Amino acid sequence: MDGSTAVIILTFIVTYLIWFVSLRRSYKGPRVWPLVGSLPALITNAHRMHDFIADNLRMCGGTYQTCIFPIPFLAKKQGHVTVTCDPKNLEHILKTRFDNYPKGPSWQSVFHDLLGDGIFNSDGDTWRFQRKTAALEFTTRTLRQAMARWVDRAIKNRLVPILESAMTRAEPIDLQDVLLRLTFDNICGLTFGKDPRTLSPDFPENGFAVAFDGATEATLQRFIMPEFI
């Protein structure tokens, strides 16, 4: 390596480090490393991702920013991530200025195998059309009454007896699993007309529920891992 090449490489490294330091000052949350950004922390905590995000939100007061790809010209376009649980921010994003926050091609690509072009994975005119259609359905009095009856029966006849039984036996219960089963049964019953009855005292395994959990887990990994993996 001749002297001029070494000088060019050194200049590039110094320039990048100066840029990186100035970039990192604006980030909170998990530590951002040169080139790999916050990927090490994300991969290390992949088994507890939701707890990891909640810990960072708690530490940063409800909102933090990080970067997955701290590389010039890519950081702001693909690597910059804002995470928030602040009610005012959520209202601004989901209601007040919803049109200002499209999901974009990266999000849609990650979720397409699971959600296709449905309302949870679409933007613009496609989203507006589906939202209007869904709004018409969910504002009908018949559907609201059906939902109320279904959920009321599920709570009284399934959830409460399971909780009372656990209390009587003084046994611990996985409340997250119980509530997920309750939600799953309600959604399947209302949307498909089929009650899988996963919320039962013996907690039966349901093939569709297992497959859906696997699909959502695989989708989450697409956010964490580099695209080529």
Side-chain angles (χ1 to χ4, degrees):
M1 182 185 299
D2 56 30
S4 59
T5 303
V7 170
I8 293 174
I9 294 175
L10 182 61
T11 302
F12 173 79
I13 293 175
V14 171
T15 303
Y16 172 78
L17 290 177
I18 293 174
W19 173 85
F20 175 77
V21 170
S22 64
L23 180 75
R24 193 171 67 175
R25 288 174 180 169
S26 63
Y27 294 134
K28 297 189 293 183
R31 181 164 184 175
V32 178
W33 298 88
L35 299 180
V36 295
S38 56
L39 277 177
L42 291 172
I43 294 173
T44 303
N45 291 276
H47 65 288
R48 56 180 300 272
M49 182 56 59
H50 296 94
D51 291 329
F52 172 68
I53 293 174
D55 291 343
N56 283 287
L57 287 169
R58 199 173 295 112
M59 179 180 64
C60 299
T63 302
Y64 71 89
Q65 294 178 319
T66 186
C67 187
I68 300 176
F69 302 113
I71 300 173
F73 308 110
L74 288 179
K76 293 296 184 181
K77 289 185 177 181
Q78 298 182 354
H80 184 78
V81 179
T82 300
V83 184
T84 184
C85 65
D86 186 290
K88 293 181 179 179
N89 291 339
L90 295 177
E91 182 180 14
H92 176 78
I93 295 169
L94 298 176
K95 181 181 178 181
T96 308
R97 293 299 304 274
F98 181 81
D99 289 343
N100 204 36
Y101 298 91
K103 300 171 184 69
S106 297
W107 173 287
Q108 291 170 333
S109 175
V110 167
F111 276 101
H112 191 269
D113 287 342
L114 179 61
L115 300 178
D117 297 316
I119 190 172
F120 297 113
N121 200 37
S122 59
D123 286 322
D125 292 338
T126 303
W127 177 83
R128 291 188 187 91
F129 174 77
Q130 296 189 64
R131 184 182 183 277
K132 289 180 180 178
T133 304
L136 289 174
E137 288 293 329
F138 281 95
T139 53
T140 59
R141 183 178 180 183
T142 303
L143 181 59
R144 292 202 307 270
Q145 291 176 341
M147 291 175 64
R149 288 196 301 268
W150 189 288
V151 173
D152 184 65
R153 286 197 302 265
I155 291 174
K156 288 182 179 179
N157 300 332
R158 301 184 192 180
L159 178 61
V160 172
I162 288 175
L163 296 179
E164 289 179 341
S165 176
M167 180 184 66
T168 302
R169 298 196 306 269
E171 293 180 352
I173 190 170
D174 187 344
L175 191 58
Q176 181 173 347
D177 179 52
V178 169
L179 294 178
L180 281 174
R181 288 172 180 269
L182 174 66
T183 304
F184 182 77
D185 287 353
N186 286 333
I187 291 175
C188 288
L190 287 166
T191 57
F192 306 131
K194 175 68 174 179
D195 184 2
R197 301 188 68 86
T198 61
L199 185 58
S200 301
D202 55 343
F203 297 111
E205 184 178 277
N206 179 274
F208 178 66
V210 173
F212 188 81
D213 286 344
T216 54
E217 177 64 24
T219 301
L220 175 62
Q221 295 302 320
R222 290 182 176 184
F223 275 114
I224 301 171
M225 300 295 181
E227 185 175 354
F228 69 88
I229 295 180

